[in-house]
Amino acid sequence: MSSSTVIGACPLDCPDTCSMLISVEDGKVTGVRGNPDHPITRGRLCVKMNDYEKRVYHSDRVLTPLRRSGPKGSGQFEPIGWDEALTEIAARWKKIIAEDSAKAIMPCSYLGTEGIINGLNVGDAFFNRMGATVAERTFCDSGACTAYAMTIGDSAAVDPESVVHSKYIILWANNMLATNSHMWPIVTEARKRGAKLVVIDPVRTAVAKAADWHIAPRPGTDGALALGLMNLLIGEDLLDQAYIDDHTLGFDELKERAADYPVEKVADITGLSVDDITALAREYAEAHAPLIRIGVAIERHAGGGQTVRAIACLPALVGAWRHPGGGLLQLPIWAFPVNWGNLMRPDLYPDDPQVVNLWNLGDALTGNLPGRGPIKSLMVYNSNPAITVPEQDKLLTGLMREDLFTVVSDHFITDTAKYADIVLPATTQVEQEDIMFSWGHMYLSYNNRAIDPIGEAVPNTELFRRLAAAMGFDDDPYFTRSDEEMIAEALLWDNPVLEGITLEALKEKGFIRLNLAQPDAYAPHAEGKFHTPSGKCEFRAAAAAVGNFVVPLFRQGHDAHQSGEAVDPLPHYIPPRESPQTNPELAARFPLNLISPKSNPFLSSSFGNMERQLSYSKGVRLYVSPADATPRGISDGQQVRVFNDRGSFNAMVSVTDDLRTGVVSAPVGFWRDEDHRNTVHAVTSSVTADLGQAPTFSDVLVEIEAVHAAE
């Protein structure tokens, strides 16, 4: 038997982008473990990935093209060959284009794999050439990115490795131990050097329990808290006035705006004490290199964008940007010179595109989106919308349409694939080549293919080469490029951050740090130099004049989607749409705020069918405070129905003191069970937030009731 170790990179949509060592014996993967040489991931893989070989060889894997043989939703299929599948897909699409136009065909994809060539943008050029409906993908961080870019520009700003130099760390809506666990040792080292750790989260999460101070505001009120801190910093002159004068824009207007948020008003909005808010402002201002690390959850309510606008202003007020480890840590992805235009090819799209946000897919498939034409075909890859899209009942109704031709490429018959007409087999990460950015550190990574594809599975790159040939697009050499050619064109190699880095060296080592200042010297905004129109931190954002827009990263390369109306150029507080404080009439029927964080063993719905990960998850749970459980006659371990006007799902209750009264929590990622009961997204709303068309996962009111054995 021959044996080897191949260096790969984790494909998950996670900030950590772990380097992996893949053990191969006689052409078969026998183990996947962390690479101990990687400075960030340090040889550890999380529970999702540390038995990845079981996913590769799972008995339920789709390994040949399939055609539906039973009713939609039944999951009944028969195997067919690739030629037959491609011929049927092309024929159906050409018929739809002739009868309805290409806009009646819609892709549905996200980050089921995070590789640059197989991930978010792999199908964009193909569907742009076709003229299909443009899928706006804003599930994750689009509102935060929009607000962040409006304030400081597209800058990585903080190197996570430099955080060891911070003396005050605020994790704001970030459960680092669950969603960014490889940064925890860095935070731990900072604490050993004297840093204080503060966690701001409505839930007492694992990281909140480990912190020095946990602050629990009401869901969706973080923006008011940030503005209240701003008011105190200005009112008590806890400012770095020289930094403000030299490197910011709009301070006088910001000062006037902050005056609208006195600490007593903010305490009333957030449910926090005046003393706590005041102490937080003073400690933040007085610390050396204070850092705020925001999580994706910060944007998931009506005013999520303006919340990030307010938070992004705080570091400049106290001069935190002067020091390595100080400032605001959002997405280091901004440091990677990805050749987005080459991946997306917006130039291929004809004039007047039809745009549908995937958050509104249920409405699109049921004909409830005004001004949009009908969708007659859906192509799903890197995604499982039946589990991840809100208003689940509406979406499933759309997927049941007999006139909707649905194609799904995946590893398994997911909840979405059950409704497909054609299912295509996709490779796992160990069966494909890719190059990887990171949104949690400064290391470029390479995933070397460890084994040949199993069965008839193909990478996404090969899938779209085959579809392009079937549709007659292979007259353009762009659509016949090999994976090697695509990888070579994936980055802007003349960018200074890639100086000295070669593909050959990257393939051999598996990861290389971008050519940036070392962590102990990385402070790119110590003297301003922000990536904004003014070159300053813009308290008054020039970008606000163009209206509510989505940064092109979240679309298929087209010009930013705009509402046409200018937004307020100064940060302000937008209250939640659904809360007892802002919507008492709705709260009279549905009095509980539901938040839906990621489930630790899953990544969205990935691994929701894997035995070991399911065993870690402890099943579908609803976490409820004793003060909310007792009046309803609900006890720990009891089955409950969680419901509102949009739908319902069942869960087992865990009664805990980790939640504020009036707040319940249900992790996402579970698949629908054998009885076809819904999941948490049956009750979430398809309404978007204030900036970036961001989702509103955590702006939801529900009620709960016991489910008795007879039911």
Side-chain angles (χ1 to χ4, degrees), residues 6 113 136 158 160 165 248 274 278 319 326 343 358 424 568 686 691:
V6 179
T113 180
E136 193 171 61
V158 175
H165 301 294
T248 72
V274 169
T278 304
L343 293 169
L358 289 176
L424 302 173
D568 190 330
S686 62
L691 292 176

Side-chain angles (χ1 to χ4, degrees), residues 154 192 222 284 296 326 536 544:
D154 58 347
K192 289 179 180 177
D222 307 82
Y284 176 72
V296 176
K536 298 183 176 184

Side-chain angles (χ1 to χ4, degrees), residues 455-517:
E456 298 180 57
V458 300
N460 289 332
T461 49
E462 175 62 16
L463 167 64
F464 282 101
R465 279 191 289 266
R466 294 184 182 188
L467 289 172
M471 293 298 292
F473 299 166
D474 55 345
D475 57 343
D476 184 339
Y478 180 88
F479 293 105
T480 61
R481 296 175 304 155
S482 67
D483 287 2
E484 291 74 17
E485 290 172 317
M486 295 173 73
I487 288 172
E489 297 174 11
L491 299 171
L492 300 171
W493 290 97
D494 58 350
N495 190 293
V497 302
L498 296 180
E499 184 178 351
I501 299 175
T502 65
L503 264 177
E504 292 73 18
L506 185 61
K507 280 176 62 72
E508 180 179 354
K509 187 174 182 181
F511 60 90
I512 296 179
R513 180 181 167 85
L514 296 176
N515 184 33
L516 299 165

Side-chain angles (χ1 to χ4, degrees), residues 173 213 277 301 456 531 591 602 622:
W213 186 13
I277 299 170
H301 52 85
E456 298 180 57
H531 300 179
F602 310 146
L622 182 78

